[in-house]
Amino acid sequence: MKRKPISVKLLLLVRNKWKAKVFVLLLLGFCLSSFLLMQAQYNRINNSSSSSIFPLLFVQKPKIAFLFLARNRLPLDLIWDQFFQGENENRFSIYVHSRPGFLLNRLTTRSGYFLDRQVNNSIQIYWGEASMIQAEIILLQHALKDPSNERFAFLSDSCIPLYNFSYTYDYIMSTSTSFVDSFADTKEGRYNPKMDPVIHVHHWRKGSQWVILNRKHAEIIVTDTVVFPMFQQHCQRKSLPEFWRDRPVPADNSKEHNCIPDEHYVATLLAHRGLEGELTRRSLTHTSWDISSSKGRERQGWHPVTYKLADATPMLVQSIKDIDNIYYETEYRREWCTSKGKPSPCFLFARKFTRPAAMRLLNMSALGVS
């Protein structure tokens, strides 16, 4: 009996099925090897702290730590509430130093941004003594615990913002330098020769305490064990009360105070460490010390001008915003203010404002904080 010949079509069908099986097996092998390769790559990246996949997906922006030095409550909390309103909190953090025992809660602040934001180890501050510097160090110690904080801005309880948050943030973060008002102090005789040789007279600097520090300089301050003890030892004097400006200025005020640590410490420390090249040597907080035209005794002495309700006008705010340079007489230095390489206003904040004055400016939309 003869076998029937296998048709050509059948042979082709069998051959094609075999090829298809081989192709499927090769495809599965390729997919499996690709998966294993990708898994190994993921594990390598995931285990590397410097190349984690998560920062690529969720980038943590650098934050500005706003450090408030307050007597008790923050009388201008509603101004700052408007400033922070609507902003993502991954760009700022808030710390408040108030007197020991004071609590920022719903009874003492009208802004949710300040609830329970005071540090828990505050100290009593006395004007003209090193305790002011200790309070600043305490604030920095708390703020440095958050690795996302890259700038540290000191503000008083009478300070107002002049611009909205975005402009302020971009201005501060546009440079890696710290903003530290710093100039040679050769006129007032506050330098104590007993500080030498630890603090040389050539490193003695004066400036506003309202500085904005980068993280490197903040860490230098909290770890300083050389310069600060000199201030503690040689700047202790009986503190002057807040109402001193209501009394006649003493004929010989050199016996009433010495070096005023908060006006000298940060600038002197950074000069002592040879870091002035890393500074923008001006403050971003405007303070008026011009008392030549003041009529009241309350604006005399060592205290800056306090702006009251009658002073609070859009013209006042605009006059501060229009300042584009600062002249330092003792160094014959004029500092033209720039941001991102372009001319810019010198100040982002201003003080000292009473609550009625600040609220009037807010109601007149003169601040532009929203």
Side-chain angles (χ1 to χ4, degrees), residues 192-353:
N192 191 332
K194 293 181 180 179
M195 293 180 172
D196 190 64
V198 176
I199 303 176
H200 197 279
V201 66
H202 295 309
H203 293 149
W204 186 249
R205 298 289 184 270
K206 184 181 179 181
S208 167
Q209 77 177 102
W210 311 112
V211 300
I212 298 179
L213 304 169
N214 61 27
R215 193 170 183 92
K216 173 184 175 181
H217 298 152
E219 290 173 342
I220 287 173
I221 289 172
V222 301
T223 57
D224 170 38
T225 58
V226 176
V227 174
F228 182 56
M230 291 292 100
F231 278 82
Q232 288 180 302
Q233 181 178 350
H234 299 293
C235 295
Q236 287 187 342
R237 290 294 184 273
K238 183 178 179 180
S239 59
L240 298 177
E242 283 296 315
F243 55 81
W244 182 265
R245 58 183 181 274
D246 294 328
R247 298 181 177 183
V249 178
D252 184 7
N253 60 26
S254 64
K255 295 180 181 179
E256 298 296 334
H257 69 96
N258 191 9
C259 68
I260 315 299
D262 52 274
E263 293 184 6
H264 294 272
Y265 172 66
V266 173
T268 297
L269 171 62
L270 297 177
H272 174 267
R273 297 289 292 268
L275 298 173
E276 287 189 299
E278 300 179 7
L279 307 178
T280 298
R281 293 175 63 191
R282 59 184 175 89
S283 174
L284 296 186
T285 298
H286 177 267
T287 304
S288 177
W289 296 93
D290 182 12
I291 61 173
S292 59
S293 60
S294 299
K295 297 182 179 180
R297 182 180 294 174
E298 73 276 4
R299 293 187 175 186
Q300 296 179 358
W302 297 295
H303 290 265
V305 171
T306 297
Y307 296 111
K308 300 180 180 180
L309 180 64
D311 304 312
T313 65
M315 289 76 76
L316 170 65
V317 174
Q318 192 59 48
S319 68
I320 298 173
K321 289 183 175 183
D322 287 342
I323 298 173
D324 61 0
N325 72 91
I326 305 170
Y327 182 66
Y328 293 92
E329 183 179 354
T330 60
E331 296 182 345
Y332 305 102
R333 170 171 62 96
R334 186 173 298 278
E335 192 79 21
W336 291 94
C337 302
T338 61
S339 177
K340 300 180 181 178
K342 299 179 181 179
S344 68
C346 291
F347 301 109
L348 299 178
F349 314 102
R351 61 187 293 269
K352 299 173 60 172
F353 285 82

Side-chain angles (χ1 to χ4, degrees), residues 149-201:
N149 288 331
E150 294 191 13
R151 298 294 186 276
F152 305 82
F154 284 101
L155 299 161
S156 79
D157 55 8
S158 64
C159 190
I160 62 171
L162 298 173
Y163 299 93
N164 63 33
F165 180 88
S166 294
Y167 181 87
T168 303
Y169 181 90
D170 291 342
Y171 192 117
I172 294 174
M173 301 303 299
S174 67
T175 176
S176 61
T177 64
S178 294
F179 290 90
V180 178
D181 195 34
S182 175
F183 54 92
D185 178 31
T186 59
K187 290 189 174 182
E188 296 192 51
R190 293 183 181 179
Y191 175 75
N192 191 332
K194 293 181 180 179
M195 293 180 172
D196 190 64
V198 176
I199 303 176
H200 197 279
V201 66

